[in-house]
Amino acid sequence: MILTDKIRTLIFDCNENNIRIVGDLLTANCDDVIVVGTDTSTVGIDKLLQIHKPDIVFIDSGLLLETSLDTILKGEHSFEIVFMAENNEFAIQAFKFSALYCINKPFLKEEVREAIVRFRRKPSHYDFNRLRALVVEQKEEECRIILPDSIGFKIVNVNELTRCEAEGCYTRFYLKGADGCIVAKPLSSFIKLLSEHLFCRIHKKHLINLNFVKQYVKGRGGHVILQDGSKVEVSERKKKEFIESLKYFAYSFLEG
């Protein structure tokens, strides 16, 4: 029998007991919900998504941070995500990025039921770009980079870097609330690494941390104003890429 009138759900948690609890709460408190699949890892998540075409995916926040987003983002999937987290701190982040809901452990029937109520009321689908940004932001908290300078080296958190500027075969790093440094490597050496942490190359000389963008001023290419007041030119060739990159982590009312 095809259960087209049911809200189809998948549950992912490394703890089988958590899967059982959430599944039982859904079955006992939400008559229009059916659990179509579960797993203790996300290794086979894409296959399960293809087979079951869920409406909602319940996923442990820690498990999400450990897996590659490629398996979730590829394909024509359309579903909402409910995070299962250890504390309210992750919940605040989840709501910033348009999550359907976030339930905290130990799980309560009221929270599980609220997630389903929100699904019934919500007219639009989940924004996977915000999911990507959320995971990147969480990982940035632990990512550090070693920057050699004239007297030794500095070890800084990636999220403290505001921008990088090419100076010939050298790169100048700017840090939030601290003195920067010059590294004897070209900017191209850092493009791939930092592009995975919400950095965007907006000019052949400039790589900026999108989290520090305060304003964009129109022009042929235009320029951005960062939170520290610095102005950085945007090349005409990089303009479109820059605008699109901003949509990964900020609410956008831009056309197109």
Side-chain angles (χ1 to χ4, degrees):
M1 180 177 67
I2 301 177
L3 301 172
T4 55
D5 59 332
K6 294 284 188 177
I7 298 174
R8 304 167 66 83
T9 65
L10 289 175
I11 305 174
F12 295 91
D13 196 298
C14 57
N15 188 318
E16 290 186 356
N17 190 51
N18 288 336
I19 292 176
R20 180 186 58 78
I21 292 173
V22 173
D24 288 348
L25 288 173
L26 286 169
T27 301
N29 297 281
C30 307
D31 293 337
D32 57 347
V33 174
I34 179 173
V35 178
V36 294
T38 66
D39 206 329
T40 55
S41 76
T42 54
V43 174
I45 187 171
D46 189 60
K47 183 177 180 180
L48 288 173
L49 293 174
Q50 293 285 358
I51 293 173
H52 298 293
K53 295 179 172 52
D55 301 299
I56 306 176
V57 171
F58 285 77
I59 186 168
D60 175 67
S61 59
L63 198 60
L64 176 64
L65 296 178
E66 293 174 1
T67 190
S68 169
L69 284 179
D70 291 341
T71 56
I72 297 178
L73 298 176
K74 70 182 180 180
E76 297 298 326
H77 306 314
S78 179
F79 54 85
E80 297 285 346
I81 287 185
V82 175
F83 293 114
M84 300 185 291
E86 294 288 347
N87 53 56
N88 288 325
E89 183 176 347
F90 190 90
I92 294 172
Q93 295 296 317
F95 289 129
K96 278 176 56 181
F97 292 92
S98 302
L100 176 65
Y101 201 51
C102 184
I103 59 177
N104 293 320
K105 305 169 185 178
F107 305 117
L108 301 174
K109 66 179 182 180
E110 291 80 10
E111 287 195 333
V112 171
R113 191 154 43 197
E114 176 63 19
I116 303 303
V117 169
R118 290 180 180 230
F119 175 82
R120 298 190 191 108
R121 293 176 179 172
K122 190 170 182 179
S124 59
H125 292 297
Y126 194 84
D127 186 344
F128 289 107
N129 286 341
R130 296 192 183 282
L131 171 61
R132 182 194 297 276
L134 172 60
V135 174
V136 170
E137 182 174 299
Q138 294 292 315
K139 289 185 176 180
E140 273 189 354
E141 296 298 325
E142 300 176 357
C143 185
R144 309 182 80 189
I145 184 172
I146 296 176
L147 301 177
D149 56 23
S150 59
I151 61 173
F153 58 83
K154 292 182 179 180
I155 303 177
V156 301
N157 290 332
V158 169
N159 59 5
E160 293 177 354
L161 294 174
T162 61
R163 64 187 177 100
C164 310
E165 182 176 356
E167 296 186 1
C169 294
Y170 295 81
T171 301
R172 183 181 295 274
F173 286 82
Y174 293 83
L175 302 174
K176 177 183 178 182
D179 293 333
C181 64
I182 297 179
V183 176
K185 287 182 178 295
L187 182 62
S188 58
S189 300
F190 305 99
I191 298 295
K192 184 176 181 180
L193 169 65
L194 293 178
S195 293
E196 297 177 356
H197 295 273
L198 293 182
F199 279 73
C200 179
R201 193 171 191 176
I202 61 173
H203 188 279
K204 65 181 181 180
K205 291 185 60 176
H206 302 295
L207 183 69
I208 65 170
N209 187 335
L210 295 174
N211 281 307
F212 291 95
V213 174
K214 182 179 180 180
Q215 184 180 358
Y216 169 71
V217 180
K218 291 181 179 180
R220 186 171 182 180
H223 66 270
V224 295
I225 301 175
L226 302 183
Q227 291 178 8
D228 61 4
S230 58
K231 296 181 181 180
V232 185
E233 181 183 0
V234 180
S235 71
E236 185 178 6
R237 187 169 64 88
K238 291 290 186 180
K239 180 178 177 178
K240 182 178 180 181
E241 179 184 342
F242 163 63
I243 298 299
E244 287 299 314
S245 294
L246 284 176
K247 296 179 183 179
Y248 272 73
F249 75 104
Y251 291 103
S252 174
F253 294 92
L254 299 175
E255 295 182 359

